[in-house]
Amino acid sequence: MELTPMIQVQDLHFAYKKHKVLKGIDFDLHKGEVISLLGPNGCGKSTLIRLVLKLLDAEDKIKIQGRSLQEYSHKEIASHIAYIPQYHNVPFNYSVLEMVVMGRISKLGFFASPSKKDYEIASLALERIGISELKERPFGQLSGGQKQLVLLARAIAQEVNVFIMDEPVNGLDYGNQIRLLELINSLAGEGYTFLKTTHYPDHALLVSSRVVVMHEGKIIANGTPEEVIHSEMIENVYGIKAEIITHDTHKRCVPLFR
């Protein structure tokens, strides 16, 4: 791995008024990693994502490629990081191709319009994700799973290496959840870097090179999925009993009903 992390967070604290949300967060994201931020609702995962994207003030506690986040404009951040939200509604009914072309904005000058090359790059991104047939469809008429794939294609068209995904499978049916996780795994194999939040230990086990467990605003574990996800951690974080089993080469988290 490279010496300089792509994203570095050091001793990060954050509060909404008097409510402390993050308490001394430290972690690095290196090129080629797939990090899953695992934890229950309210543990601070989404707040951490917003801070990394400079949507909230991190007080000089975050660096991108060795440079303070405070020094970056939002357009510069978009030239390094693509953000894929869990929900995305647009006020106008753009076509799928138009939505993907929007990923090119960080490459354009002020008042510049997308070029033929931008549309070609967007079309190639749709092809890479395997949804070229949706190109002319109105984005607002797509299913939740299709929308997530379009947003992933838009991130690829952005031509960056780091993807940040906030609860990417939220609201998707089981089949689309697995298909999206398989696609993340495939893209990671091509050298893309991912930081994604999740509620699900199984998803972290399936698609992660490293898992960072958050609980009550702190990181309580940081390591490989096999090191971090075990019965004691599940009970401590989620308050339920579970067993970690191995099926073929994959580990699974099986809750134990009382």
Side-chain angles (χ1 to χ4, degrees):
M1 289 187 180
E2 59 183 16
L3 295 177
T4 302
M6 304 196 78
I7 297 175
Q8 186 176 27
V9 180
Q10 293 180 308
D11 193 29
L12 177 61
H13 294 256
F14 186 80
Y16 293 106
K17 295 184 178 179
K18 294 183 179 180
H19 175 58
K20 291 185 178 180
V21 180
L22 299 177
K23 308 166 187 175
I25 299 296
D26 291 280
F27 81 93
D28 298 339
L29 174 69
H30 291 265
K31 184 176 180 180
E33 284 194 297
V34 180
I35 290 185
S36 291
L37 290 175
L38 177 66
N41 286 332
C43 70
K45 302 189 304 297
S46 293
T47 296
L48 176 56
I49 293 299
R50 293 188 189 103
L51 286 159
V52 170
L53 294 169
K54 204 179 177 181
L55 300 178
L56 297 169
D57 184 13
E59 295 185 352
D60 203 25
K61 298 293 185 178
I62 298 174
K63 294 180 180 179
I64 296 179
Q65 295 187 341
R67 180 181 162 202
S68 172
L69 182 65
Q70 304 282 56
E71 299 174 16
Y72 283 85
S73 68
H74 285 100
K75 185 173 182 178
E76 286 178 309
I77 293 170
S79 70
H80 293 276
I81 297 171
Y83 174 54
I84 304 169
Q86 55 177 297
Y87 300 112
H88 196 89
N89 294 314
V90 293
F92 304 104
N93 212 9
Y94 295 108
S95 72
V96 164
L97 181 59
E98 288 170 330
M99 285 294 297
V100 177
V101 167
M102 290 178 191
R104 304 294 301 161
I105 289 174
S106 65
K107 309 295 182 185
L108 303 177
F110 287 112
F111 308 115
S113 297
S115 65
K116 181 180 177 181
K117 180 183 176 182
D118 292 316
Y119 277 93
E120 288 173 352
I121 290 171
S123 294
L124 288 172
L126 286 168
E127 185 177 329
R128 170 63 192 88
I129 299 300
I131 53 172
S132 293
E133 73 281 1
L134 300 178
K135 184 184 296 188
E136 303 302 327
R137 290 271 302 276
F139 180 77
Q141 295 179 12
L142 301 182
S143 70
Q146 289 172 326
K147 285 180 179 179
Q148 282 299 100
L149 294 179
V150 171
L151 295 178
L152 191 52
R154 186 176 70 178
I156 289 174
Q158 199 170 322
E159 292 187 320
V160 298
N161 183 263
V162 180
F163 294 170
I164 292 182
M165 308 180 79
D166 191 10
E167 301 291 349
V169 303
N170 196 35
L172 304 188
D173 65 43
Y174 184 66
N176 279 322
Q177 288 182 19
I178 300 304
R179 279 186 281 272
L180 183 58
L181 291 173
E182 286 178 331
L183 189 52
I184 291 170
N185 194 50
S186 174
L187 291 169
E190 296 177 18
Y192 288 98
T193 304
F194 286 86
L195 175 63
K196 62 183 182 69
T197 67
T198 183
H199 294 299
Y200 304 109
D202 268 340
H203 294 174
L205 283 165
L206 279 169
V207 186
S208 304
S209 55
R210 188 151 53 95
V211 177
V212 175
V213 182
M214 295 185 64
H215 185 49
E216 297 180 348
K218 298 179 180 179
I219 291 176
I220 62 167
N222 184 346
T224 66
E226 293 76 17
E227 292 170 339
V228 166
I229 300 176
H230 47 75
S231 299
E232 184 180 351
M233 185 277 290
I234 297 296
E235 185 168 9
N236 182 32
V237 171
Y238 293 99
I240 64 168
K241 293 188 179 296
E243 184 178 344
I244 308 301
I245 65 170
T246 301
H247 176 71
D248 290 335
T249 59
H250 295 291
K251 290 187 179 294
R252 297 287 189 273
C253 178
V254 180
L256 304 177
F257 285 9
R258 293 182 177 133

